[in-house]
Amino acid sequence: MDEMPQDHRPGKSVRVLLAEDQGMMRGALALLLGLEEDIEVVAQVGAGDKIVAEALTARPDVALLDIELPGLSGLDAAAQLREECPDCRVLILTTFGRPGYLRRAMEAGAAGFLVKDGPVEDLAEAIRRVLRGETVIDPALAAAALSAGANPLTARERDVLNASVDGATVADIAGKLHLSESTVRNYLSSAIGKTSTRNRMEAVRAARQQGWL
């Protein structure tokens, strides 16, 4: 009788949840990380609003999250994981190495922030390091974040700018956020001033380029 193949992983592998909206990238990352003897990808999701529910089921040690995900951003999901799954460490892996994103990730409780252009060996080591309680940040991005300063936009200003996309009117924004139209105009005016732009669409673009949204 043929013997069953043996699993040569160590007694306890690092359990990883992978959140990436591009299916090919998600599959490639899962495959490459799965080649590491001490890492096991136990869950994969393609939308941000599925992260917490999947984490509660799979109980990963580390959640590897992209930022721009449908349903909910990886940054917002990181904050939810801190509340719902405090034992799960979060490592942000993104194409967008923006100082504002790094600051928001740290505020959300992320233990690491890397950009996707590095080798998979560095990513695997970063997963091990955050599990050991270390903080892992791309060095160049850390330096840029220090020089860029803090996000000048308030939470409400960010909400109003986010609600401004796709041609939403002031009335639309007011209804969505349960604010008066005059309050929405005040927030928009303040955000435009802080981003040194001429209108709200330019303010949205500038804020996104800085990683403030």
Side-chain angles (χ1 to χ4, degrees):
M1 181 181 295
D2 294 336
E3 293 186 0
M4 295 293 291
Q6 297 295 312
D7 187 346
H8 297 290
R9 293 179 184 276
K12 180 171 171 50
S13 297
V14 183
R15 296 169 60 82
V16 174
L17 178 149
L18 177 59
E20 163 65 54
D21 63 328
Q22 297 183 24
M24 186 175 294
M25 173 67 77
R26 185 170 66 248
L29 280 172
L31 179 63
L32 291 171
L33 289 174
L35 296 175
E36 300 290 323
E37 290 188 350
D38 60 340
I39 294 176
E40 179 183 6
V41 177
V42 296
Q44 301 180 46
V45 298
D49 51 6
K50 296 181 179 179
I51 290 172
V52 172
E54 194 66 32
L56 289 171
T57 299
R59 292 294 175 181
D61 301 306
V62 176
L64 187 61
L65 311 181
D66 194 3
I67 289 180
E68 297 198 351
L69 296 167
L72 190 73
S73 78
L75 298 175
D76 291 330
Q80 289 187 1
L81 283 172
R82 180 173 57 184
E83 298 296 325
E84 301 290 337
C85 305
D87 293 334
C88 178
R89 305 280 285 174
V90 173
L91 177 59
I92 298 293
L93 180 67
T94 181
T95 303
F96 305 102
R98 297 169 183 166
Y101 278 162
L102 172 57
R103 285 182 175 274
R104 289 172 59 198
M106 296 299 102
E107 290 170 359
F113 193 110
L114 297 175
V115 291
K116 290 180 179 177
D117 59 0
V120 71
E121 292 83 3
D122 289 353
L123 175 58
E125 184 56 27
I127 290 171
R128 299 181 186 106
R129 289 176 62 190
V130 298
L131 187 61
R132 293 196 297 265
E134 299 179 36
T135 298
V136 182
I137 299 173
D138 179 91
L141 186 57
L146 287 174
S147 63
N151 184 347
L153 300 175
T154 66
R156 264 313 192 186
E157 288 166 354
R158 294 197 298 270
D159 289 341
V160 169
L161 285 181
N162 278 319
S164 297
V165 299
D166 300 326
T169 65
V170 169
D172 293 334
I173 299 168
K176 181 178 181 180
L177 299 179
H178 307 291
L179 299 171
S180 69
E181 293 186 23
S182 62
T183 299
V184 168
R185 291 191 182 94
N186 288 338
Y187 283 134
L188 286 173
S189 177
S190 178
I192 290 168
K194 289 179 179 179
T195 54
S196 301
T197 53
R198 296 172 297 178
N199 55 59
R200 58 177 167 152
M201 297 316 297
E202 288 186 4
V204 169
R205 285 195 294 271
R208 283 182 169 173
Q209 288 171 357
Q210 291 294 330
W212 294 338
L213 293 181

